[in-house]
């Protein structure tokens, strides 16, 4: 039996989009923190189902976790955007809903792949967000054509940040990550997963490792 219960809700954005949302509630709460997980690039098949393994793993450890389908994904209304800027409003809406309905004292925002730049652009728009975790942020040159305008928001944020990346990531090299973080404000940590590729790290085989990274970061806050 899992150590959590699963609930569903619909969250409405300021521009009238309805987002299908799932809440993983631990039976034994360790901390009044809620972890909001932002899925991968909608246009390439990103959806909240891909975040279920991490969300359930975090709930098993006593942390409430929230996943959601961004606009145009699954049963969420609206249309996905190419650059992810419309989806920033989705992240803000879900975090505001969490603040109002789950009454956390703090929110940790976690973004996977393209969800990382989208989440990063929302970090400083929500007061309750106390930290940010990126799982495979696409900082590389080709990915920056789509997501480059998101970089400034997260790099200038004073909030604590963790960047997790596979050493064989095809979108971002370790050197590119290091160079980007040289200019980053606030406290920044990196965690390199030896031999892991970008899409490999997104797979269920790495869910437990990602949960471990997130929990270790929480312990450092």
């Amino acid at each position: 039996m899992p150590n959590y219960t699963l609930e569903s809700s619909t969250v409405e954005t300021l521009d009238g989009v309805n987002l299908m949302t799932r809440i993983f509630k631990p039976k034994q709460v360790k901390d009044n923190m809620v972890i909001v997980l932002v899925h991968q690039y909608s246009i390439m098949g990103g959806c909240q189902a891909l975040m279920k393994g991490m969300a359930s793993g975090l709930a098993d450890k006593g942390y409430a976790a929230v996943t959601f389908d961004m606009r145009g994904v699954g049963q969420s209304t609206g249309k996905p955007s190419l650059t992810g800027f419309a989806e920033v409003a989705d992240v803000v809406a879900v975090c505001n809903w969490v603040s109002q309905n789950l009454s956390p004292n703090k929110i940790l925002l976690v973004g996977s792949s393209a969800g990382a730049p989208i989440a990063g652009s929302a970090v400083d728009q929500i007061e309750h967000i106390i930290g940010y975790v990126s799982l495979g942020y696409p900082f590389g040159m080709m990915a920056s054509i789509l997501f480059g305008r998101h970089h400034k928001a997260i790099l200038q944020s004073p909030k604590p940040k963790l960047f997790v990346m596979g050493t064989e990531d095809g979108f971002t090299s370790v050197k590119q990550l290091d160079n980007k973080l040289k200019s980053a404000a606030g406290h920044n940590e990196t965690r390199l997963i030896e031999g892991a590729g970008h899409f490999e790290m997104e797979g269920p085989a790495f869910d437990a490792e990602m949960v471990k990274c997130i929990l270790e970061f929480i312990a450092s806050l």
Side-chain angles (χ1 to χ4, degrees), residues 105-162:
N105 54 16
K106 45 192 180 285
I107 295 171
L108 179 71
L109 196 53
V110 178
S112 177
S113 189
I118 293 168
S121 286
V123 161
D124 286 338
Q125 296 189 40
I126 306 291
E127 184 182 354
H128 277 103
I129 295 173
I130 53 89
Y132 163 89
V133 178
S134 153
L135 308 175
Y137 196 118
F139 274 127
M141 291 297 291
M142 291 301 291
S144 293
I145 295 170
L146 291 174
F147 306 116
R149 288 187 297 143
H150 289 281
H151 296 179
K152 185 177 179 181
I154 192 57
L155 294 175
Q156 290 188 346
S157 174
K159 295 180 180 180
K161 301 176 280 294
L162 169 65

Side-chain angles (χ1 to χ4, degrees), residues 29-84:
V29 177
K30 182 173 182 179
D31 192 311
N32 190 29
M33 172 189 285
V34 176
I35 301 168
V36 175
L37 298 118
V38 183
H39 69 69
Q40 302 87 345
Y41 197 29
S42 301
I43 290 171
M44 288 181 65
C47 62
Q48 67 175 326
L50 298 174
M51 312 301 281
K52 180 181 178 182
M54 283 186 283
S56 60
L58 291 163
D60 269 334
K61 297 295 185 181
Y63 292 92
V66 173
T67 66
F68 64 99
D69 283 324
M70 290 189 275
R71 59 186 62 210
V73 174
Q75 292 183 316
S76 293
T77 62
K79 294 181 179 180
S81 70
L82 197 61
T83 61

